[in-house]
Amino acid sequence: MTSAKRDSMQNSATPDDLANVLEHTFASLGQLSKDFRMALRSREVGNIIHNANGVATVSGLPKVGYEELIRFRDGLLGIAFNIDEDEVGVVLLGDYWKLKAGDEVQRSGRVMDVPVGDALLGRVINPLGEPLDNAGPINTESRLAIERPATPIMDRAPVTTPLQTGIKVIDALIPVGRGQRELILGDRQTGKTALAIDTIVNQRGKNVLCVYCAIGQRGASVAKVIATLRQHDAMKYTVVVVAEGSSPPGLSYIAPYAATSIAEAFMEAGRDVLIVYDDLTQHARAYRELSLLLKRPPGREAFPGDIFYLHSRLLERATHLNDEHGGGSLTALPIIETEAQDISAYIPTNLISITDGQIYLSPSFFELGTLPAVDVGRSVSRVGGKAQRKAYRAVASNLKLTYAQFEELENFSRFGARVDTASQKIIDHGQRVRMSLKQAECSPVSVEEQILLLLAVKEGLFDAISLDLMPKAETYLLNTAKDIPQEIRDNIESVKGISDDDDNQTLLNLAKAALERFISAETKTSPKPENNEETG
């Protein structure tokens, strides 16, 4: 628009037009002033009295609620933990060293919550829901409180569907069902985390979502776990919640609750979820530290008296919902660390009584190279065969008893005592059983492969093969599992199992054909003592 045209338009505006515009504007302002009502909103503001080691003492918040979020400067959050008449003990969830006595605090009016939803899959977050993987912000539509009541009993269904771990010794002898709580315990460096990560890796393609919660772990250890999950393409169905050992104890305390709320959101949407707590020993220590700093009375092993309730209300949230509530499930694999194989310590006994079974990893087995180092005698699944495929019960029903008898005879024979022929046969068979249950890390075995292997072990097909040839023979046998007819595969996956004689004989013939070359090689190369004694 040229300046001449603009000047002509301005000159064309009459004083009456300007007066009308001004009159309408003032009328609108007058109406707004009449409708405006000043609303007063009260806000409780307090001050920090004392701050040290992740705990702050605050005054001036008379109406604060238990576990309510408290806001500090620079966006730092805390949770009201001790509510006394004149002061409040607050657990801080961030860089507490930035605060000082006298700083202003205020109530938030809400409890601690965490974002939930599919946007979290494949992401690494802290217990506050903030991303740690430099992959951009997380956009979710809903949030859930980290402390939630457990599912009522009437809304639950029995645990009947197996959760395949891909680990032979567990799927065969200590089965885990969807909705179960199975404890993993053992001394340091015995493979507890590896066992849980193998289970997560095995869920690929099985429509099971996973949540891995690292509590008080070293950053390098967590990075290794994430790298393993990415290497096996498991991050796309996994959420990783991290509270490192260098984090404030408040973050370690809320980490498992935040992870459980994330998993519960998936479960309530009708999906099957697996959650791993690694580990609850560090969680208990973080809670003990906070409790002692808040001057709560210590009890056994300096833990506060409510440490049992701390873990029971967490693990009680793992369940299998009935069909009316979506039919989803939440399976929990809590991990704890024992000291000097003492499973009768305070925290281990608490969690053994809370969970539905335990998988104990023996340091002696680990030192001998029997990996995974599962001590079958001390491990148990209280759900048991109810959550195990019928095909497993057909081929591994007496395997645990056979293995226990072998271990007892093996220990007896180590004293140098001579054993009879029958006992020696049991020992030889047990050694093959132990070799067949060995498994490398991150190498899950499918259901069909396990059934074929266990059937061969049950029928003693490995007994004529030397221990040196066992790994090669087992590998060759597992590779032949692809030749199992589709009809038998369907029976293995179904409730029918392989009880039919024809199915059983087909699998047996397949195993015999695969192992024939190793049996023949052993027969040709091994000496025959009976003939030598006769000729001598």
Side-chain angles (χ1 to χ4, degrees):
M1 181 184 294
T2 63
S3 59
K5 186 179 291 187
R6 186 168 53 250
D7 292 340
S8 64
M9 291 180 64
Q10 291 176 351
N11 294 333
S12 64
T14 62
D16 293 339
D17 295 334
L18 296 175
N20 291 335
V21 171
L22 291 174
E23 183 179 354
H24 182 268
T25 302
F26 284 116
S28 300
L29 292 174
Q31 185 63 37
L32 289 174
S33 64
K34 290 180 181 179
D35 295 340
F36 178 74
R37 295 291 183 270
M38 182 177 292
L40 298 177
R41 185 175 61 182
S42 62
R43 187 181 67 170
E44 288 188 21
V45 179
N47 298 96
I48 298 177
I49 301 175
H50 177 70
N51 169 44
N53 299 323
V55 170
T57 304
V58 175
S59 65
L61 303 177
K63 295 184 179 180
V64 69
Y66 179 65
E67 290 192 347
E68 181 179 342
L69 273 182
I70 308 297
R71 298 187 182 277
F72 296 82
R73 65 182 179 88
D74 297 331
L76 183 65
L77 299 176
I79 299 178
F81 229 55
N82 276 11
I83 301 179
D84 299 325
E85 185 175 357
D86 300 322
E87 61 186 27
V88 178
V90 180
V91 173
L92 302 176
L93 305 177
D95 300 335
Y96 57 86
W97 50 85
K98 295 181 180 179
L99 303 178
K100 62 181 184 299
D103 284 350
E104 184 178 289
V105 301
Q106 58 179 304
R107 292 177 56 191
S108 68
R110 63 185 181 91
V111 295
M112 179 65 201
D113 55 16
V114 66
V116 298
D118 289 346
L120 294 173
L121 293 174
R123 301 300 300 271
V124 182
I125 62 174
N126 67 8
L128 301 176
E130 300 168 346
L132 300 176
D133 52 6
N134 298 321
I138 299 174
N139 299 316
T140 59
E141 297 180 355
S142 56
R143 302 177 70 92
L144 285 181
I146 65 170
E147 289 274 14
R148 306 179 69 217
T151 304
I153 297 297
M154 298 305 295
D155 296 343
R156 304 187 181 207
V159 177
T160 55
T161 306
L163 179 89
Q164 293 298 138
T165 65
I167 302 170
K168 295 174 288 186
V169 64
I170 295 178
D171 291 340
L173 304 179
I174 319 158
V176 179
R178 297 187 182 185
Q180 187 175 343
R181 302 158 297 181
E182 186 78 6
L183 179 65
I184 301 175
L185 74 162
D187 286 7
R188 289 193 62 187
Q189 302 297 321
T190 52
K192 302 184 296 296
T193 300
L195 206 67
I197 297 304
D198 284 1
T199 304
I200 293 177
V201 169
N202 191 58
Q203 304 314 309
R204 184 175 62 231
K206 293 181 173 57
N207 198 26
V208 176
L209 303 180
C210 303
V211 179
Y212 176 77
C213 180
I215 310 168
Q217 303 295 314
R218 293 182 295 112
S221 300
V222 177
K224 181 180 178 182
V225 168
I226 296 172
T228 302
L229 294 175
R230 285 178 175 157
Q231 179 184 352
H232 293 86
D233 200 24
M235 278 299 294
K236 63 182 180 182
Y237 56 85
T238 304
V239 183
V240 179
V241 182
V242 180
E244 295 184 19
S246 58
S247 302
L251 287 179
S252 295
Y253 165 68
I254 70 169
Y257 298 104
T260 305
S261 290
I262 293 171
E264 276 183 326
F266 293 127
M267 176 186 70
E268 291 170 358
R271 308 177 79 170
D272 294 313
V273 191
L274 168 67
I275 185 168
V276 174
Y277 305 105
D278 190 10
D279 63 47
L280 291 186
T281 306
Q282 299 294 338
H283 181 240
R285 289 169 182 166
Y287 185 70
R288 175 172 61 182
E289 178 182 352
L290 294 172
S291 298
L292 293 177
L293 288 169
L294 290 169
K295 299 181 180 179
R296 292 184 175 184
R300 178 178 166 185
E301 298 179 20
F303 286 102
D306 61 342
I307 192 71
F308 181 89
Y309 176 65
L310 180 80
H311 288 147
S312 64
R313 76 173 188 261
L314 170 69
L315 294 172
E316 193 64 24
R317 293 162 69 178
T319 185
H320 179 207
L321 299 178
N322 56 28
D323 293 336
E324 295 178 0
H325 292 81
S329 67
L330 176 56
T331 308
L333 293 181
I335 298 174
I336 60 170
E337 179 184 303
T338 57
E339 296 181 357
Q341 307 180 50
D342 184 14
I343 63 174
S344 63
Y346 190 28
I347 301 302
T349 51
N350 277 352
L351 283 160
I352 287 173
S353 62
I354 293 169
T355 52
D356 306 314
Q358 71 273 353
I359 299 171
Y360 177 71
L361 300 180
S362 170
S364 58
F365 286 6
F366 189 87
E367 293 167 1
L368 292 172
T370 305
L371 302 178
V374 177
D375 188 336
V376 177
R378 291 187 173 186
S379 303
V380 65
S381 175
R382 298 189 183 97
V383 174
K386 295 180 180 178
Q388 191 178 38
R389 285 182 170 85
K390 189 177 180 181
Y392 279 98
R393 297 197 291 273
V395 297
S397 57
N398 61 346
L399 188 60
K400 195 168 187 178
L401 177 60
T402 302
Y403 196 76
Q405 291 175 339
F406 152 67
E407 286 187 323
E408 184 176 354
L409 284 172
E410 186 183 42
N411 292 332
F412 177 74
S413 65
R414 285 173 182 164
F415 291 102
R418 297 184 62 182
V419 294
D420 58 282
T421 305
S423 298
Q424 186 61 47
K425 187 176 180 181
I426 294 175
I427 293 175
D428 292 340
H429 179 66
Q431 289 174 338
R432 271 73 181 174
V433 173
R434 182 165 60 193
M435 286 292 293
S436 66
L437 295 179
K438 285 186 177 182
Q439 191 169 342
E441 189 175 340
C442 290
S443 56
V445 182
S446 67
V447 175
E448 294 82 5
E449 292 173 340
Q450 291 189 38
I451 295 299
L452 187 61
L453 175 66
L454 293 172
L455 179 62
V457 171
K458 176 187 176 183
E459 298 296 333
L461 300 185
F462 286 104
D463 292 355
I465 300 175
S466 70
L467 293 175
D468 294 336
L469 291 176
M470 272 287 297
K472 291 183 178 179
E474 180 185 339
T475 302
Y476 192 81
L477 176 64
L478 296 181
N479 289 335
T480 60
K482 63 180 181 295
D483 299 328
I484 297 176
Q486 186 60 43
E487 182 181 356
I488 298 181
R489 289 175 179 268
D490 296 338
N491 290 341
I492 290 175
E493 294 290 341
S494 68
V495 296
K496 181 180 179 181
I498 54 171
S499 57
D500 186 79
D501 292 338
D502 294 336
D503 292 351
N504 190 72
Q505 190 61 43
T506 301
L507 291 176
L508 195 58
N509 293 337
L510 193 63
K512 287 180 179 179
L515 298 176
E516 185 66 30
R517 62 173 62 188
F518 299 96
I519 297 175
S520 301
E522 171 65 13
T523 304
K524 292 177 182 179
T525 56
S526 60
K528 298 181 179 180
E530 296 82 6
N531 295 339
N532 291 340
E533 289 177 3
E534 292 175 3
T535 55

